[in-house]
Amino acid sequence: MPDPARFRPTRRAALAILGAAAVGGALSASGELRPPRATPVADIPPDTGVQVTADSSDQAPAPAPPAPPHFESDFKLPPIQNGLAPVITRVTTKQPVVFLTIDDGITKKPEAIDLLRKYNYPISMFLTKNFVQDSPDYFRQFMREGDFVENHTVSHDVQMSTKTYAYQLAEIKGMQDYAQATFGRRPTLFRPPGGAYSNVMRKACADAGIKAVVDWETKVNASHMDYQYGNGLRPGDVVLMHFREEFVGDLEAFRAAQLAAGLTVVNLERFIGAE
């Protein structure tokens, strides 16, 4: 009688039989191998670590930065009368605005460009030809929309207001011509060296195509605010700064005063109609 143990499959044989059955079940009636069923995303348990990433084209674009506030001007630039350019020391306005003007151009610090861009301050640059003609490209970097180069004479002679009409006209017109050729715009505003002006100077300005002489009642000096009136910035103040070694400290002093007063720095030329 045959021994039943001889016909009992070994463990290896049993595994082979099971494997063959699995392959056979994967075959279609035609004998082709069917691909395994794809697992739907919804069937993937949340703890499997599988991540589904949306196409970047389907993502909403980042919101645009808010537009800077716009203030409607309530100031009218005085006209030239009797051949004399008007003088502005402060802009009479009820709008919460302040104007930043920067003079000379002796010191050219890279951080000045970075800080003005960081704070998004529009500025008016009253430049002196003899101070800037060695590196005009430095000042071109400030000339975003709304930033203008204005006239601060050829040589920065602080005694200029006491000299002859011909001398003063040459100083003013010389810078007019240089600014036009170098920066592509003829200045409309003039700042006297040292701040002193006379009727002779006002006539020379008018004859050179200047719309107004711009002085100041507030300035930044040695990282400190100096006020001729009051103890803080007022709407319409024209603030004097300089391109000099202490620029960073001066600008920080101005920024602290500007924020404390709740004022916005806007473009002087556009606000007063002297573009």
Side-chain angles (χ1 to χ4, degrees), residues 121-133:
Y121 283 161
I123 60 173
S124 300
M125 295 177 283
F126 288 86
L127 301 182
T128 299
K129 176 185 175 182
N130 289 353
F131 297 158
V132 305
Q133 62 186 348

Side-chain angles (χ1 to χ4, degrees), residues 154-246:
V154 171
S155 67
H156 202 275
D157 180 357
V158 295
Q159 303 297 323
M160 174 178 162
S161 65
T162 66
K163 297 186 177 178
T164 67
Y165 167 83
Y167 176 87
Q168 296 192 56
L169 181 63
E171 281 281 324
I172 297 167
K173 191 174 181 303
M175 183 58 194
Q176 290 289 90
D177 295 342
Y178 174 77
Q180 175 75 65
T182 306
F183 301 110
R185 173 182 173 271
R186 204 162 187 82
T188 60
L189 304 177
F190 174 79
R191 172 158 288 156
Y197 61 87
S198 63
N199 282 345
V200 172
M201 179 181 286
R202 294 173 63 192
K203 176 172 173 49
C205 283
D207 292 346
I210 295 292
K211 293 183 178 181
V213 176
V214 179
D215 256 357
W216 66 89
E217 294 179 1
T218 303
K219 67 178 179 179
V220 194
N221 184 47
S223 304
H224 177 76
M225 298 295 297
D226 287 340
Y227 304 102
Q228 293 182 22
Y229 303 95
N231 56 4
L233 286 175
R234 304 162 297 167
D237 270 342
V238 176
V239 179
L240 168 66
M241 269 187 59
H242 292 85
F243 288 104
R244 57 189 178 189
E245 286 298 326
E246 54 265 42

Side-chain angles (χ1 to χ4, degrees), residues 38-60:
T39 304
V41 172
D43 293 342
I44 299 175
D47 59 350
T48 60
V50 177
Q51 296 181 349
V52 180
T53 304
D55 192 308
S56 60
S57 61
D58 297 332
Q59 296 178 355

Side-chain angles (χ1 to χ4, degrees), residues 13-163:
L15 291 175
I17 293 170
L18 290 174
V23 172
L27 295 174
S28 65
S30 63
E32 294 179 351
L33 186 65
R34 294 195 304 267
R37 182 176 69 90
T39 304
V41 172
D43 293 342
I44 299 175
D47 59 350
T48 60
V50 177
Q51 296 181 349
V52 180
T53 304
D55 192 308
S56 60
S57 61
D58 297 332
Q59 296 178 355
H70 173 73
F71 298 96
E72 204 66 39
S73 177
D74 53 1
F75 176 84
K76 185 174 178 60
L77 183 66
I80 293 173
Q81 292 185 329
N82 301 318
L84 305 180
V87 178
I88 299 173
T89 58
R90 180 169 172 263
V91 176
T92 304
T93 179
K94 294 181 180 179
Q95 299 282 26
V97 298
V98 67
F99 309 99
L100 182 59
T101 64
I102 310 179
D103 281 15
D104 298 349
I106 299 176
T107 303
K108 305 161 185 69
K109 299 177 76 67
E111 52 265 43
I113 301 170
D114 297 337
L115 280 175
L116 289 170
R117 286 177 177 168
K118 174 183 175 181
Y119 299 142
N120 197 27
Y121 283 161
I123 60 173
S124 300
M125 295 177 283
F126 288 86
L127 301 182
T128 299
K129 176 185 175 182
N130 289 353
F131 297 158
V132 305
Q133 62 186 348
D134 61 332
S135 54
D137 283 345
Y138 173 83
F139 300 96
R140 289 192 184 101
Q141 296 177 78
F142 294 95
M143 296 180 67
R144 305 162 301 167
E145 183 179 356
D147 294 346
F148 298 108
V149 169
E150 301 296 358
N151 194 319
H152 200 36
T153 74
V154 171
S155 67
H156 202 275
D157 180 357
V158 295
Q159 303 297 323
M160 174 178 162
S161 65
T162 66
K163 297 186 177 178

